[in-house]
Amino acid sequence: MRKFEMEHRVGYAETDAMAIVHHSNYIRWFEMGRNDLLRSLGYPYSELERLGIWMPVIGVNCEYKNPSVFDEVVIIRSWVEKLKGASVYLAYEVIGKEDGQVKVTGTSSHGFTDPDLVPMRLKKNFPELYERLASAAK
């Protein structure tokens, strides 16, 4: 399976009074990783929306391993864990760039719908996107 990586420097506004990243930011970072993964496959969110493809979140999970701190550079790693007809399951790791320490791991699941939130079968309606996601999952 192909893993996509992007770097992110922890901003002051992402931390709490202890200069540790607030837990809610990791979910945002997962979204940044997901956006980067899709962009790398040639389908940034703006293109998906133009095509009428929405990817509402079905579920999200985050397990905290070690804290990230202000001004630290982290690597957000994202990959396609599983692709089904009308949904996709992604996995994530956030790792400290300098120390290699795993900060969090997590997953998210998303349905494929039209703008009215009617589920769609991606393989039937958008076979090229389906194949790109499928090849990334191998």
Side-chain angles (χ1 to χ4, degrees):
M1 101 194 53
R2 183 172 164 202
K3 295 189 177 184
F4 299 81
E5 293 185 353
M6 65 174 290
E7 289 187 9
H8 175 70
R9 182 175 297 278
V10 176
Y12 188 75
E14 295 175 301
T15 63
D16 59 20
M18 299 175 289
I20 294 173
V21 171
H22 189 269
H23 65 275
S24 63
N25 286 297
Y26 293 106
I27 304 302
R28 289 181 47 248
W29 294 359
F30 291 174
E31 183 175 357
M32 290 166 51
R34 182 169 63 253
N35 283 326
D36 189 64
L37 180 154
L38 290 166
R39 187 177 300 105
S40 295
L41 293 175
Y43 284 91
Y45 263 114
S46 58
E47 177 65 8
L48 294 179
E49 289 174 354
R50 188 188 71 72
L51 293 170
I53 303 169
W54 284 20
M55 291 178 60
V57 174
I58 298 169
V60 66
N61 176 55
C62 185
E63 294 193 22
Y64 306 95
K65 310 290 186 182
N66 293 288
S68 298
V69 297
F70 169 63
D71 210 33
E72 178 180 17
V73 176
V74 294
I75 297 168
I76 302 167
R77 188 175 289 154
S78 311
W79 63 94
V80 178
E81 187 80 13
K82 180 170 54 171
L83 179 63
K84 295 173 108 180
S87 59
V88 64
Y89 298 79
L90 302 166
Y92 311 91
E93 281 182 322
V94 176
I95 301 160
K97 182 178 179 179
E98 268 193 41
D99 62 13
Q101 198 175 54
V102 175
K103 308 300 182 172
V104 298
T105 59
T107 59
S108 67
S109 55
H110 307 265
F112 295 110
T113 73
D114 68 15
D116 294 320
L117 298 177
V118 175
M120 72 167 68
R121 301 204 66 70
L122 196 65
K123 188 173 186 176
K124 176 184 173 195
N125 296 314
F126 296 94
E128 182 182 323
L129 173 56
Y130 181 88
E131 287 306 318
R132 289 190 190 185
L133 286 166
S135 68
K138 293 179 182 175

